[in-house]
Amino acid sequence: MIRGFFRLVGLLLLAGGFVFMVYDGARFVADNTLRFTRFGQFWNDVHQSSQQAFHAWVEGKAPWLWNSVVRVVLDQPVFAVMGVLGILLMLLFRPRKPLIGYSRN
């Protein structure tokens, strides 16, 4: 059941990544300038205080982690971050292959 839930979350993230790819593509057609929506900007638009709280938490636990890892992820396009997370969840929680010749009991 938990596996199915995480696969559903992965599928929703993958769909969200596709939506943002279409959104950025439509913006490119309208403006003739290639601008991607950054993940940090999207997170800031959705819930600014949670991003600030996450920044404070990461700075408290491992200050080097913010500039080297988290900042890089926040500067990536939304469709790439959501797509990669969705694919990872779909692959990690895929159904097990059936065993041949004996049961799992």
Side-chain angles (χ1 to χ4, degrees):
M1 185 165 155
I2 298 296
R3 179 177 292 151
F5 173 73
F6 281 115
R7 282 184 57 86
L8 175 67
V9 170
L11 187 64
L12 291 174
L13 283 172
L14 203 57
F18 180 72
V19 166
F20 272 98
M21 188 184 314
V22 170
Y23 173 73
D24 289 340
R27 200 165 57 176
F28 169 70
V29 169
D31 296 352
N32 270 347
T33 58
L34 187 58
R35 291 180 310 175
F36 295 118
T37 306
R38 293 181 315 118
F39 184 67
Q41 175 188 355
F42 170 68
W43 188 4
N44 200 18
D45 291 343
V46 171
H47 199 259
Q48 186 175 9
S49 62
S50 69
Q51 186 180 11
Q52 293 170 351
F54 182 70
H55 180 229
W57 181 77
V58 169
E59 286 287 331
K61 296 290 182 185
W64 58 270
L65 190 65
W66 180 258
N67 287 331
S68 61
V69 177
V70 178
R71 176 70 66 151
V72 173
V73 172
L74 290 176
D75 287 339
Q76 300 306 313
V78 177
F79 73 86
V81 174
M82 291 177 88
V84 167
L85 284 176
I87 289 171
L88 282 176
L89 285 176
M90 298 274 295
L91 288 175
L92 286 175
F93 293 100
R94 65 181 170 212
R96 293 182 183 152
K97 292 182 181 178
L99 297 175
I100 298 174
Y102 50 92
S103 66
R104 288 189 185 266
N105 295 338

